[in-house]
Amino acid sequence: NLPGQPPVNFKQFSGYIPVDDAQQRFLFYYFVEAESDSSSKPLVLWFNGGPGCSSVGEGAFVEHGPFKPKGDVLIKNDYSWNKVANMLYLETPIGVGFSYSLDMSSYTSANDDLTARDNFVFLQKWFEKYPEYKNRDFYITGESYGGHYIPQLATLILKSKSGINLKGIAIGNPLLEFDNDFNARGQYLWSHGLISDDTYDLFNKVCNYSTIRRQDNFEAITPKCADVAVQASKEISAFINSYDITLDVCLSTVFSQSQVLDRNPNPEVKVDVCVEEETAKYLNRKDVQAALKARLVNVNEWTPCSSILQYQLADMEQPMTPVLASVIKSGIRVFIYSGDQDSVIPLTNTRLLVNGLAKQLGLATTLPYGAWFTHKQVAGWTQVYGDVLHFATIRGASHEAPYTQPRRSLTLFKAFLSGKPLPRIHEEDQNTGIVIPIF
Amino acid sequence: NLPGQPPVNFKQFSGYIPVDDAQQRFLFYYFVEAESDSSSKPLVLWFNGGPGCSSVGEGAFVEHGPFKPKGDVLIKNDYSWNKVANMLYLETPIGVGFSYSLDMSSYTSANDDLTARDNFVFLQKWFEKYPEYKNRDFYITGESYGGHYIPQLATLILKSKSGINLKGIAIGNPLLEFDNDFNARGQYLWSHGLISDDTYDLFNKVCNYSTIRRQDNFEAITPKCADVAVQASKEISAFINSYDITLDVCLSTVFSQSQVLDRNPNPEVKVDVCVEEETAKYLNRKDVQAALKARLVNVNEWTPCSSILQYQLADMEQPMTPVLASVIKSGIRVFIYSGDQDSVIPLTNTRLLVNGLAKQLGLATTLPYGAWFTHKQVAGWTQVYGDVLHFATIRGASHEAPYTQPRRSLTLFKAFLSGKPLPRIHEEDQNTGIVIPIF
């Protein structure tokens, strides 16, 4: 049990798995069994992105875990994903959250290949520790830079003949192709009112977002690109959450705004804008760390994104579409979704990328683009190709979709696990012809 | 006093003004004095659009009047525009709401010229009835097809030397240039996830939105354009409010969804999604009509948009930019704003139009594009040209911005009346450089 939590009927586990023979490198996990009938429910692994951000701090405590920290206590999350699955949150790579290495050089050698291998070793050893899950239906989910981690880990699993029963992968607002995904940003900001026509022009003619990002990764921003970036950020202002442009920001921490979100289109769902700060406070409590059997090694505090990790940023540019294509060819279900209020990895180019992938694989549209529903409201739009490749938006959702649209995200997660398309409950009413605006 | 209203300290008046010598045509108004110090506050005329929609039913009871109907009673609106002005809501042209003609042919001869003339006559006679307002600072405001009514009425006033003290005009999500404004829609829907890449392609290559709209106005939709329109509306679904794409719809009246909105980004501001229906019920009560001194003539019920009016739809295509230009040249402040969740008249092309107008008039940017604030949150973005032409977006707002973002809209309205730019309270903190996303 965690300090301050309400009583629950399911079990939680956490701890470390060593991922090398020298017992120097340890990955931390937080495992939450399903609320009921855990033995009949699938096992789902979750990755946050970054590279270098925490699946426990973000995925579990901010997005879809069973609890959200508030002051001294944990509040039950009504839309927790452990309602339908056994959820395994992994802090990866080494250096993220409570994961650590005794060999400091691990922090500078981090890259996609090593991360995928560590994650695979973790998984094999984790199944040794929890053998009842070994043959369970298994899914890998995550978001953002998870667009790299997930297809790469899936590929290792598929190649390994390890007996891991991988059924599907789902990735939200994924980074899959560097130029494609980052360049959508200029257009997104312009079409949503955050930058001027002039600045949009600069992105198109002088320096685009992927160039800025690339230069920043290598600490080599040219004056030309710096000027464009500064002009854009002045226009956007420092008080906008790029990960959800319609939300207010947590006023106590304007500069950690990127992950503190507030929005409430569903009156019955109340989002705490400052939950990320609450999580950082909670996970830095000594009693919480003791209950989690978590240690802080080489760092003074738990942070949502690692301050010690030096990831090989060139890996951001590795194209993931071919990796995804090969996963799909293995018969694995692939679900790509987009919180539609995110300006960082906007829905527009993710949708184009999925379209292109379907075309390349010769997958015909098996469900045409159209609205999907939850609780009788439009929850987003979706399209399915060859019954195997799903694209979906989540309406009103941020980069971290389950945080800002928890109910819609849970519906999407259920559909993903079921292998069925997202619900189109009002389908029969949709042929009402053109809705010509009266205005 | 209106049936079911809470006690208030300000006065309200309503009734008819005949606008022709034959006493056949009567315009209905609802006038709300300012909550305090009405004699020191300006007079503001408000127009809803359509052509053919009600300023009383929409503007006053759904958007920024002192009360909103709920069940049998009226609820006080905390963000009523009569906090800062004396508000005059006009049902125009003849045939809208409670306005009527004894001569049925008036309903078929309605067009922009006649409407502007009627509105001008109304105003002159209204000032005779309320002479204490004759020399008051005067503003004309409205939205949507108000983009036609407002510059045209302003022009008549300026030409007339009537002594009416016109200081400024403000128009939200305006129709100003038919092709420009309607064609933005395809791109808006695509960039916000409501239509597929394929359908967007059709709008660009086969039939665009302004063509569809034009053909529909003349009941001559070609099969090619009909196909595009049907495909788009199937994708969007019938359960999306085109006037605010992120809102839920009022479930009891899916087909009147276009004006029933629900959204609550500011937790303290609660929007009633079904207030338009509540308004229709309220304004159809006999006791309410008696209190308003309103009559139903030639129609059986009050409706938000006229069912009897046959407006000259060709007038929709009259370009308003030259009219606006001439108003600005007369030294009148012009404020164009956009609720940024509206797909019908999207912010993108409105912003381009204002840019173009500034360039044409040789007005330099006097306040660069950037965020404006209310209650320490970003309320939208704004740019000012030559200290006289203002553009602003309202973040998270619908086509009827004061309905869905009442607090932000009231701040904008105050700034408009003050003649000052919108508040940029966090300006000093904005030079924090590039906010590079961690993700």
Side-chain angles (χ1 to χ4, degrees):
Chain A
N1 272 15
L2 291 168
Q5 79 165 62
V8 293
N9 289 323
F10 55 87
K11 289 182 191 154
Q12 311 168 71
F13 307 89
S14 60
Y16 288 96
I17 299 277
V19 291
D20 63 359
D21 294 334
Q23 298 271 323
Q24 294 223 308
R25 298 154 64 247
F26 298 86
L27 288 179
F28 181 80
Y29 67 92
Y30 169 49
F31 178 50
V32 184
E33 286 198 332
E35 275 191 13
S36 60
D37 296 323
S38 70
S39 63
S40 71
K41 293 208 165 67
L43 175 67
V44 176
L45 179 62
W46 172 267
F47 288 107
N48 276 86
C53 297
S54 162
S55 299
V56 173
E58 290 290 321
F61 286 98
V62 171
E63 299 188 55
H64 43 59
F67 310 113
K68 303 206 180 198
K70 178 83 183 171
D72 293 334
V73 299
L74 293 177
I75 308 289
K76 186 81 185 67
N77 172 12
D78 291 338
Y79 302 98
S80 173
W81 285 13
N82 82 323
K83 291 192 179 298
V84 289
N86 300 284
M87 296 296 303
L88 177 55
Y89 298 94
L90 174 59
E91 302 272 64
T92 188
I94 297 291
V96 169
F98 295 120
S99 293
Y100 67 90
S101 174
L102 298 175
D103 173 7
M104 293 294 283
S105 73
S106 300
Y107 299 125
T108 55
S109 58
N111 60 42
D112 278 8
D113 282 346
L114 186 63
T115 303
R117 268 187 288 146
D118 280 356
N119 293 341
F120 182 56
V121 171
F122 165 86
L123 209 52
Q124 287 180 301
K125 293 198 176 173
W126 190 89
F127 280 124
E128 285 167 23
K129 192 163 178 175
Y130 299 85
E132 68 273 30
Y133 285 98
K134 175 80 202 218
N135 300 307
R136 199 69 61 86
D137 281 358
F138 180 62
Y139 297 89
I140 316 178
T141 60
E143 71 198 11
S144 199
Y145 202 74
H148 278 228
Y149 300 153
I150 296 165
Q152 290 170 345
L153 175 59
T155 301
L156 287 190
I157 291 170
L158 292 169
K159 278 186 186 157
S160 69
K161 323 273 183 205
S162 59
I164 296 173
N165 195 11
L166 180 64
K167 293 283 189 182
I169 66 176
I171 329 175
N173 298 70
L175 181 69
L176 296 167
E177 300 286 342
F178 192 91
D179 286 331
N180 177 76
D181 299 335
F182 283 122
N183 272 342
R185 196 167 183 187
Q187 187 186 41
Y188 187 93
L189 294 169
W190 174 81
S191 62
H192 290 68
L194 284 73
I195 60 170
S196 65
D197 299 325
D198 282 352
T199 300
Y200 185 39
D201 206 44
L202 294 179
F203 280 123
N204 290 323
K205 291 179 183 163
V206 175
C207 186
N208 62 32
Y209 251 110
S210 65
T211 305
I212 293 170
R213 180 75 196 219
R214 183 176 290 117
Q215 292 183 355
D216 182 66
N217 278 350
F218 300 104
E219 289 167 25
I221 293 198
T222 61
K224 227 168 53 169
C225 288
D227 286 351
V228 177
V230 167
Q231 179 164 333
S233 70
K234 274 189 189 171
E235 287 182 356
I236 295 166
S237 98
F239 302 88
I240 282 293
N241 185 335
S242 295
Y243 297 89
D244 191 326
I245 58 160
T246 61
L247 293 196
D248 285 346
V249 291
C250 178
L251 286 174
S252 61
T253 57
V254 154
F255 296 105
S256 69
Q257 77 207 28
S258 61
Q259 284 115 341
V260 287
L261 311 173
D262 178 21
R263 179 202 192 77
N264 186 12
N266 301 322
E268 70 275 32
V269 181
K270 181 78 190 111
V271 174
D272 174 5
V273 285
C274 297
V275 71
E276 186 171 83
E277 279 169 61
E278 299 279 359
T279 297
K281 267 186 263 170
Y282 186 77
L283 292 180
N284 277 303
R285 278 168 56 175
K286 291 279 171 282
D287 60 338
V288 171
Q289 291 173 0
L292 284 170
K293 286 171 261 154
R295 288 187 289 278
L296 285 176
V297 180
N298 299 321
V299 290
N300 296 321
E301 57 168 358
W302 181 95
T303 53
C305 296
S306 176
S307 55
I308 196 168
L309 181 74
Q310 290 175 272
Y311 206 88
Q312 176 66 262
L313 293 179
D315 279 6
M316 292 184 110
E317 302 190 41
Q318 283 196 30
M320 287 300 113
T321 321
V323 187
L324 271 185
S326 116
V327 170
I328 294 168
K329 281 186 204 155
S330 301
I332 302 299
R333 190 152 76 240
V334 171
F335 213 109
I336 307 291
Y337 65 91
S338 273
D340 64 9
Q341 302 301 312
D342 176 29
S343 76
V344 177
I345 309 282
L347 72 101
T348 46
N349 279 27
T350 300
R351 185 177 51 199
L352 278 169
L353 185 148
V354 175
N355 275 343
L357 183 58
K359 186 170 274 183
Q360 179 199 320
L361 291 169
L363 299 174
T365 295
T366 44
L367 187 76
Y369 199 85
W372 64 276
F373 290 82
T374 192
H375 290 78
K376 299 191 177 180
Q377 297 287 356
V378 172
W381 283 264
T382 186
Q383 182 161 6
V384 184
Y385 305 88
D387 291 323
V388 67
L389 175 60
H390 295 242
F391 172 77
T393 68
I394 303 180
R395 190 164 74 106
S398 62
H399 192 73
E400 300 86 4
Y403 176 33
T404 45
Q405 289 291 347
R407 195 162 74 175
R408 289 171 184 172
S409 297
L410 179 57
T411 302
L412 179 136
F413 182 58
K414 282 182 193 167
F416 163 65
L417 295 179
S418 76
K420 292 179 193 148
L422 285 157
R424 292 200 172 183
I425 53 164
H426 284 301
E427 205 167 31
E428 71 283 3
D429 300 322
Q430 283 187 37
N431 297 308
T432 52
I434 311 160
V435 182
I436 290 287
I438 333 157
F439 65 102
Chain B
N1 272 16
L2 291 167
Q5 80 165 62
V8 293
N9 289 324
F10 56 87
K11 289 182 191 156
Q12 310 169 73
F13 306 90
S14 61
Y16 288 96
I17 300 279
V19 291
D20 63 357
D21 295 335
Q23 297 271 324
Q24 294 222 307
R25 299 156 61 247
F26 298 87
L27 287 180
F28 180 80
Y29 67 92
Y30 170 49
F31 178 52
V32 184
E33 286 198 332
E35 274 191 14
S36 61
D37 295 323
S38 70
S39 64
S40 71
K41 294 207 165 70
L43 175 67
V44 176
L45 180 62
W46 171 267
F47 288 107
N48 276 87
C53 297
S54 162
S55 299
V56 174
E58 291 290 322
F61 286 98
V62 171
E63 300 187 57
H64 42 60
F67 311 113
K68 304 207 177 196
K70 178 82 182 173
D72 293 335
V73 300
L74 293 176
I75 308 290
K76 186 84 185 65
N77 172 13
D78 291 338
Y79 302 99
S80 173
W81 284 11
N82 83 324
K83 292 192 179 294
V84 289
N86 301 283
M87 295 297 304
L88 177 55
Y89 298 93
L90 174 59
E91 302 273 63
T92 188
I94 297 291
V96 169
F98 295 120
S99 293
Y100 66 90
S101 175
L102 298 175
D103 173 7
M104 293 293 283
S105 72
S106 300
Y107 300 123
T108 54
S109 57
N111 60 41
D112 278 7
D113 282 346
L114 186 63
T115 302
R117 267 187 290 144
D118 280 357
N119 294 341
F120 182 57
V121 171
F122 165 85
L123 208 52
Q124 288 180 302
K125 295 198 175 172
W126 189 90
F127 281 123
E128 286 168 22
K129 192 163 177 175
Y130 300 86
E132 68 273 31
Y133 285 98
K134 176 80 203 216
N135 300 308
R136 197 69 61 88
D137 282 356
F138 180 61
Y139 297 88
I140 317 178
T141 59
E143 70 198 11
S144 198
Y145 202 74
H148 278 229
Y149 300 153
I150 295 165
Q152 291 170 344
L153 175 59
T155 301
L156 287 189
I157 291 171
L158 291 168
K159 278 185 187 157
S160 70
K161 322 272 183 207
S162 60
I164 296 174
N165 195 10
L166 180 64
K167 294 283 189 181
I169 66 176
I171 328 174
N173 297 69
L175 182 69
L176 295 167
E177 300 287 342
F178 192 91
D179 285 331
N180 176 75
D181 299 336
F182 284 122
N183 272 342
R185 197 168 181 187
Q187 187 185 42
Y188 187 93
L189 294 170
W190 174 80
S191 62
H192 289 68
L194 285 72
I195 60 170
S196 64
D197 300 325
D198 282 353
T199 300
Y200 184 40
D201 205 45
L202 294 177
F203 280 123
N204 289 323
K205 292 180 181 161
V206 175
C207 186
N208 63 32
Y209 251 110
S210 65
T211 305
I212 293 170
R213 180 75 196 220
R214 182 176 290 115
Q215 291 182 356
D216 183 67
N217 277 351
F218 299 104
E219 289 166 23
I221 293 200
T222 60
K224 226 168 54 168
C225 287
D227 286 350
V228 176
V230 166
Q231 177 164 334
S233 70
K234 275 189 188 171
E235 287 182 356
I236 295 165
S237 98
F239 302 88
I240 282 293
N241 185 333
S242 295
Y243 297 89
D244 192 326
I245 58 160
T246 60
L247 293 196
D248 285 346
V249 292
C250 179
L251 286 173
S252 60
T253 57
V254 156
F255 296 106
S256 69
Q257 76 207 29
S258 61
Q259 285 116 341
V260 287
L261 311 173
D262 177 21
R263 178 202 193 75
N264 187 11
N266 300 323
E268 70 276 33
V269 181
K270 180 77 192 112
V271 174
D272 174 5
V273 287
C274 296
V275 70
E276 187 170 81
E277 280 169 60
E278 299 280 358
T279 296
K281 267 186 264 170
Y282 186 77
L283 293 179
N284 277 303
R285 279 167 56 173
K286 292 279 169 280
D287 58 339
V288 171
Q289 291 172 0
L292 285 169
K293 288 170 259 152
R295 290 186 289 277
L296 285 176
V297 180
N298 299 322
V299 290
N300 296 320
E301 57 168 359
W302 181 95
T303 54
C305 296
S306 176
S307 56
I308 197 169
L309 182 73
Q310 291 174 271
Y311 206 87
Q312 177 65 263
L313 292 181
D315 279 6
M316 291 183 110
E317 303 190 40
Q318 282 195 32
M320 287 300 113
T321 320
V323 188
L324 271 185
S326 117
V327 171
I328 295 168
K329 281 185 204 153
S330 302
I332 302 299
R333 190 153 74 240
V334 171
F335 213 110
I336 307 291
Y337 64 91
S338 272
D340 65 9
Q341 302 301 312
D342 176 29
S343 76
V344 177
I345 308 283
L347 71 103
T348 47
N349 279 27
T350 300
R351 184 177 51 199
L352 278 169
L353 185 147
V354 175
N355 274 343
L357 183 58
K359 186 171 276 183
Q360 179 199 321
L361 291 169
L363 298 174
T365 295
T366 44
L367 187 75
Y369 199 85
W372 63 277
F373 290 82
T374 192
H375 290 77
K376 299 192 178 180
Q377 298 287 356
V378 173
W381 283 262
T382 186
Q383 182 161 7
V384 184
Y385 305 88
D387 290 324
V388 67
L389 175 60
H390 294 242
F391 172 77
T393 68
I394 303 180
R395 190 164 72 107
S398 63
H399 192 72
E400 301 86 3
Y403 176 32
T404 46
Q405 289 291 347
R407 194 163 71 174
R408 290 172 183 171
S409 297
L410 179 57
T411 301
L412 180 137
F413 183 58
K414 282 182 194 169
F416 164 66
L417 295 179
S418 75
K420 292 182 195 148
L422 285 157
R424 292 200 172 184
I425 52 164
H426 283 300
E427 206 167 27
E428 71 283 0
D429 300 323
Q430 283 185 38
N431 296 309
T432 53
I434 312 160
V435 182
I436 290 287
I438 332 157
F439 65 101

